Amino acid sequence: MGTGHLQIDLDALVANWKALDAASGAQVETAATVKADGYGLGVGKVARALSRAGVNRFFIAVAEEGAAMREALGPSPEIFVYSGHMPGDSDMIGDLHLTPMLNSIEQLTRHFEALPGHPFGVQLDSGMNRLGLEPAEWAAARPIVEAQGPALLQSHLACADEPDSEMNRAQLQQFIEMTEGMNTPRSIAATGGILLGPDYHLEMTRPGIGLYGGAPFDDAHPVAHLSLPVIQTRDVEPGEPVGYGCTWTAEEPTRVATVSGGYADGIIRAMGNKAVLFDGDVPCPLVGRVSMDLLTIDITHLDHVPSHLDLLCEHQTVDDIADVAGTIGYEILTSLGARYARRYSGGQG
Ligand SMILES: *Cc1c(COP(=O)(O)O)cnc(C)c1O
């Protein structure tokens, strides 16, 4: 088999949800954000495992993601859509019974006209300036919204992964002011917000990245494990180059393993000449550029030729390789390619 093996540990996913649920506090509902195909790990398996573990409310980015969710979960769990109610969404929102988080006066109008009486939530902009009604718009819309009985009011923190940022407190304050006097459940905390402490938990939290083993949830169990098969090895003499552009040249006799996996599989090209793969506990440096389908790895120091080398393993997290590539764990996970042989373990409990 020429493809890499992506092993997804659903027990670790469930353990991460339980830990974030415990951190959210007993009175607070802990939902789950499963947008972008469950952060690249397969939304059907992810959502089913979380549902079995007791998650009743899920968040996706766009209504189109709702079909796979309903297929996985059946009719009862509540599914919120962050992008709200877009033109052309009404049938999907109605048929799949999705709950759009309405972001603007335009979306409120569209929703109330197309699907009167259908559940909805409202997203308020507390300072991130990305999605949601701003304070003045909200002041105008609030009486109509209150009359319709929203399911949820939410806002989103711009700097939740920076606990010392003044932005966090300011956004929380703004959100609390905007929702004063309403008895609708409120949510401002994703993974980072949960870790900021109880002031941020309100009535519901909605973690994403922490479930999948990513920062800022430092105590997360890793969920994705990626192992790449060695296709061929060769001995390279001093002065000989390796790979496209000849960006790496051997300084001493070097044994190079060519491994199946490349930027088409989400192994970000910026990792060239920087990343390491592991043979068990032993790091092996990536030499030369990342190709579309291949990596070249220095295994001179090994006393055997391994059948596989690991990119994601107990010694290397999604955030470790994100640092190497100059990105974040979110991008590593959501870039994991479609070519891997995916195997799921656990998640039955
Ligand atoms: C993606 C997203 C989340 C989840 O955030 P994490 O940092 O992955 O926990 C929560 N709320 C909104 C609005 C989002 O877009």
Side-chain angles (χ1 to χ4, degrees):
M1 174 178 257
T3 60
H5 296 246
L6 179 59
Q7 199 252 318
I8 295 159
D9 182 349
L10 297 173
D11 287 337
L13 171 90
V14 166
N16 290 335
W17 180 79
K18 287 185 173 164
L20 290 167
D21 182 43
S24 295
Q27 306 306 315
V28 177
E29 173 163 10
T30 307
T33 295
V34 297
K35 62 193 179 186
D37 195 28
Y39 286 46
L41 298 184
V43 74
K45 302 272 197 203
V46 160
R48 259 195 301 274
L50 291 171
S51 173
R52 283 195 202 103
V55 181
N56 296 314
R57 294 196 163 77
F58 293 87
F59 288 81
I60 55 179
V62 292
E64 283 77 1
E65 295 177 330
M69 288 289 290
R70 280 289 171 234
E71 199 173 308
L73 296 177
S76 40
E78 189 162 15
I79 301 173
F80 295 96
V81 182
Y82 288 135
S83 63
H85 191 148
M86 293 290 286
D89 280 358
S90 302
D91 285 351
M92 260 182 305
I93 288 170
D95 294 349
L96 296 169
H97 208 72
L98 308 177
T99 306
M101 296 304 300
L102 304 175
N103 288 296
S104 63
I105 303 281
E106 188 188 2
Q107 289 200 346
L108 289 167
T109 309
R110 179 178 300 124
H111 187 74
F112 297 153
E113 284 178 359
L115 296 172
H118 186 96
F120 68 98
V122 177
Q123 174 146 228
L124 302 175
D125 178 26
S126 56
M128 186 178 183
N129 285 308
R130 188 180 68 167
L131 279 180
L133 283 89
E134 301 210 355
E137 293 174 307
W138 173 236
R142 181 170 160 164
I144 306 147
V145 167
E146 279 194 274
Q148 299 284 335
L152 179 69
L153 299 172
Q154 78 162 46
S155 193
H156 194 52
L157 296 167
C159 304
D161 58 345
E162 299 168 40
D164 298 331
S165 170
E166 288 170 15
M167 193 67 182
N168 295 319
R169 196 44 72 182
Q171 284 196 262
L172 177 63
Q173 197 54 43
Q174 174 73 269
F175 184 51
I176 285 172
E177 274 170 32
M178 289 170 88
T179 54
E180 194 115 45
M182 289 186 71
N183 56 8
T184 305
R186 298 161 302 167
S187 176
I188 197 169
T191 303
I194 293 172
L195 304 173
L196 292 177
D199 289 355
Y200 291 83
H201 299 166
L202 303 175
E203 286 75 50
M204 187 199 289
T205 60
R206 42 176 218 275
I209 191 69
L211 307 176
Y212 310 99
F217 184 31
D218 295 332
D219 297 334
H221 303 278
V223 175
H225 305 268
L226 180 59
S227 188
L228 305 174
V230 174
I231 300 174
Q232 185 182 18
T233 58
R234 76 187 61 247
D235 293 314
V236 176
E237 297 302 319
E240 287 193 300
V242 171
Y244 280 125
C246 302
T247 61
W248 186 88
T249 302
E251 283 170 9
E252 47 199 66
T254 302
R255 172 156 284 193
V256 172
T258 301
V259 162
S260 177
Y263 58 77
D265 303 295
I267 301 168
I268 291 175
R269 193 166 170 278
M271 293 178 197
N273 282 311
K274 288 192 204 150
V276 296
L277 276 65
F278 282 84
D279 174 46
D281 300 333
V282 183
C284 304
L286 196 169
V287 295
R289 283 190 183 155
V290 173
S291 301
M292 185 184 292
D293 321 297
L294 298 167
L295 306 172
T296 37
I297 311 297
D298 182 350
I299 60 161
T300 313
H301 53 301
L302 302 182
D303 59 9
H304 63 288
V305 174
S307 64
H308 288 76
L309 290 166
D310 299 335
L311 184 61
L312 294 173
C313 56
E314 61 173 311
H315 300 296
Q316 187 156 261
T317 67
V318 290
D319 295 292
D320 293 330
I321 64 170
D323 285 347
V324 169
T327 180
I328 54 177
Y330 298 74
E331 189 176 12
I332 298 295
L333 284 170
T334 56
S335 300
L336 289 169
R339 285 197 292 198
Y340 297 128
R342 291 177 176 229
R343 220 187 67 230
Y344 291 84
S345 63
Q348 301 305 310

